Amino acid sequence: MKVIAFNGSPRKKWNTATLLEKALEGSRSEGAETECIHLYDLDYKGCISCFACKTIGGQSYGRCAVKDDLTPILKKVEGADAFILGSPIYYGTVSGEMRSFMERLTFPYSVYSNPPQSLFPRKIHTGLIYTGNAKEEEMNERFGQHLRINEMVLKMIFGASESLGSFDTYQFDDYSKVVSDRFDPEKKAKRRKEIFPIDCQKAFDMGARLAGKAS
Ligand SMILES: Cc1cc2nc3c(=O)[nH]c(=O)nc-3n(C[C@H](O)[C@H](O)[C@H](O)COP(=O)(O)O)c2cc1C
């Protein structure tokens, strides 16, 4: 059983990466083999709209024809039993690298039929983990629609998906060094100490659940 996490934050040890690592720990607790891929290490672009993946009788039908660092990664997804996408919220949606990755990941399997169909050959479980500065109510109110669409697309293509948000995150090592009077550093530190561990446990449970469902 293989579970892959994709980190859509440029930071490899911060909020998103930590939650993904916890999720993978949860998957390992169910016996899964795990891997974390940092998208910002890779050189790629989003979908270039070439439609090679949709060309009737084409060699790349159902597969992305673009050759770059994502080519072997997309192949890995074909063999995975579950995967988790983790991203910070940047201006109300996922980071640019995650957005580009999601286009390349989902569009080749997406058939322009009515009703829409998926060319992904199996049903697998997927998860989405978001982190953001906003409080939970703000996040749901302002960005909820984007986040629901992501889950809907993953459900349609891969069969199942669930989402987890970690809100009001601790963003800097030292708030006193950054212009950020919108935030109260003490409240941020308290939340980091008291709430973030709960979010980590939720991420662990998600990873265990996805791996458990896959087995
Ligand atoms: C370019 C940029 C844009 C951001 N936009 C938002 C936003 O729209 N809403 C929000 O809640 N947080 C926003 N944030 C804050 C991050 O989402 C938040 O600190 C996140 O937890 C960072 O994840 P990381 O620690 O894994 O890098 C933004 C941060 C950056 C760098």
Side-chain angles (χ1 to χ4, degrees), residues 7-18 87-93 130-135 138-139 142-143 166-172 175 182-183 188 192 196:
N7 178 21
S9 169
R11 306 196 292 181
K12 291 184 181 171
K13 297 203 180 296
W14 276 78
N15 297 286
T16 313
T18 303
S87 181
I89 298 292
Y90 284 178
Y91 293 107
T93 187
Y130 303 106
T131 73
N133 255 329
K135 303 221 171 10
E138 287 171 337
M139 188 84 95
R142 289 206 226 143
F143 318 132
S166 179
F167 311 103
D168 200 1
T169 51
Y170 203 71
Q171 196 175 4
F172 318 112
Y175 276 74
R182 192 190 302 170
F183 308 119
K188 281 279 188 190
R192 174 75 174 183
F196 194 65

Side-chain angles (χ1 to χ4, degrees), residues 104-122:
R104 296 275 302 280
L105 174 67
T106 56
F107 196 61
Y109 297 127
S110 179
V111 187
Y112 277 148
S113 56
N114 205 359
Q117 286 170 20
S118 170
L119 294 173
F120 193 72
R122 294 170 300 129

